[in-house]
Amino acid sequence: MTESAKPPLAVFDLDNTLADTAHRQRFLERKPRDWDAFFAAAPADPPVPEGVALVLESAEECEIVYLTGRPERCRRDTLAWLTAQGLPEGRLHMRRNDDRRPARRTKLEILKRLAGTREIRVLVDDDELVCQDAERAGFTVVRATWTAPSAALEVAQEREGRT
């Protein structure tokens, strides 16, 4: 099948889009932030019903791609979590372990690379800055507003380049 004949991509963020991180926010609210504990607790994330329903619906017409700011060292746990939730298989793009750039830069870079060969039908993400930059770049965006925003996570995503 040629690239143009393949289905469009639906790109989904993980944290607070498909996975509810509320139970592990406490690790980011202390000084210094406990990143090891924050990521170690990720396998216990409950699924976010609205996000899960949207990814399952999208999989009917699209190939699913997961795009997260989680570091590469979390790949095994993340793949196991996706499987345990019954989510569709899909490529998983993660941040390099040493990459501390803001999520809006790392994610937009990957989106543009993906768009070079495939249509991207939608990006679903909870990070407002990621959503704004993606829209400015011409992507269709669905804002994942179904979990409570976290100031600590926002700082982690945009200033500390951690997730």
Side-chain angles (χ1 to χ4, degrees):
M1 184 180 295
T2 64
E3 287 297 314
S4 61
K6 290 185 178 180
L9 302 176
V11 182
F12 283 81
D13 172 49
L14 295 179
D15 292 337
N16 291 328
T17 298
L18 299 176
D20 187 344
T21 66
H23 72 102
R24 54 187 171 113
Q25 293 300 314
R26 67 186 186 276
F27 299 115
L28 300 183
E29 293 163 356
R30 57 177 69 152
K31 300 282 184 187
R33 299 184 202 284
D34 188 345
W35 290 105
D36 290 337
F38 178 77
F39 289 120
D45 288 353
V48 178
E50 297 89 343
V52 169
L54 188 54
V55 77
L56 293 173
E57 178 185 321
S58 298
E60 294 175 13
E61 295 183 6
C62 298
E63 179 181 325
I64 303 301
V65 172
Y66 301 102
L67 175 58
T68 181
R70 291 180 186 184
E72 187 64 43
R73 70 180 182 273
C74 298
R75 179 171 290 276
R76 180 178 294 154
D77 284 346
T78 301
L79 289 170
W81 185 89
L82 290 166
T83 299
Q85 307 315 311
L87 293 171
E89 286 188 22
R91 287 177 286 165
L92 173 60
H93 294 271
M94 304 183 85
R95 177 189 298 275
R96 287 187 333 264
N97 288 331
D98 63 348
D99 189 346
R100 297 288 187 266
R101 294 175 297 154
R104 67 182 185 274
R105 287 191 49 214
T106 60
K107 288 185 175 184
L108 195 60
E109 184 179 283
I110 292 168
L111 281 172
K112 287 179 177 178
R113 189 171 64 236
L114 291 171
T117 59
R118 296 282 289 280
E119 172 196 347
I120 295 180
R121 173 83 44 93
V122 67
L123 165 69
V124 183
D125 202 301
D126 69 308
D127 184 325
E128 181 59 27
L129 294 175
V130 169
C131 292
Q132 288 173 4
D133 283 3
E135 284 176 331
R136 276 195 287 275
F139 294 101
T140 299
V141 172
V142 170
R143 284 168 172 77
T145 57
W146 35 80
T147 60
S150 162
L153 190 58
E154 183 178 330
V155 169
Q157 291 170 326
E158 297 307 325
R159 293 193 201 138
E160 297 178 11
R162 292 288 191 147
T163 184

